[in-house]
Amino acid sequence: MIRTIEEALEPHRARVFTLAGLGYGALGGFPSSKLAEMGYATWRWFKLDNAKANLADDVRHALAEFIGCFVDAGPTHTPDDRPYIERFFGSIAANLSSRLPGYTGSHPRDVRRALADPKGNLRLYLLRSTPCNRFSLLNQVFVLL
């Protein structure tokens, strides 16, 4: 977390892209690449979520003492107070990280956590009810942990 904060403060170094046609647009880039005065600009308030890495004493101390800003972790379990950032990270979790190998779910009883355990004793049962007609069949899936 501290290294990320350091990189945010340092003047941006333009990256060299290896794909043809990929690059920064005419109006794109970072503020410090457009105005040199923006390099090493700091914040007055730094809003964080309540992740353990963000709330570590070293991070809070670095922000308050070295950068000189106030740390606002925000209220816990109130995603409505930060709707845009919660939606952004929710979309990342739903569309990217939850599909990666090793994802263990969002809570201890998440089925994906049991599926990710190679030594787990997970049983998957498929019960078929009687068909309503010849062409439809109602399937119910039960996962027992």
Side-chain angles (χ1 to χ4, degrees):
M1 177 69 186
I2 292 175
R3 182 65 192 140
T4 303
I5 294 168
E6 289 174 356
E7 287 189 19
L9 293 173
E10 294 171 356
H12 178 69
R13 294 178 302 275
R15 290 185 167 49
V16 177
F17 296 101
T18 57
L19 296 174
L22 187 63
Y24 300 107
L27 298 176
F30 290 80
S32 62
S33 65
K34 301 294 182 186
L35 293 169
E37 298 85 17
M38 295 298 291
Y40 301 105
T42 61
W43 310 277
R44 182 175 300 254
W45 284 93
F46 199 87
K47 291 188 138 197
L48 300 166
D49 66 1
N50 288 293
K52 288 183 182 181
N54 297 341
L55 298 178
D57 288 337
D58 291 343
V59 172
R60 296 171 70 97
H61 178 73
L63 287 168
E65 297 299 320
F66 298 119
I67 307 231
C69 63
F70 297 101
V71 178
D72 180 13
T76 59
H77 306 294
T78 53
D80 293 339
D81 290 347
R82 301 176 298 269
Y84 301 110
I85 195 69
E86 293 290 340
R87 177 65 179 176
F88 173 74
F89 284 111
S91 297
I92 288 175
N95 296 311
L96 177 64
S97 62
S98 65
R99 297 174 187 232
L100 295 174
Y103 180 71
T104 58
S106 58
H107 56 83
R109 300 281 300 162
D110 197 321
V111 172
R112 292 171 289 197
R113 183 176 298 249
L115 290 171
D117 184 11
K119 297 178 184 174
N121 187 15
L122 181 67
R123 294 182 188 95
L124 182 65
Y125 294 102
L126 178 65
L127 301 176
R128 295 183 189 193
S129 65
T130 58
C132 299
N133 60 41
R134 285 176 43 172
F135 303 107
S136 68
L137 183 66
L138 177 63
N139 290 326
Q140 296 177 354
V141 176
F142 295 94
V143 176
L144 303 176
L145 300 177

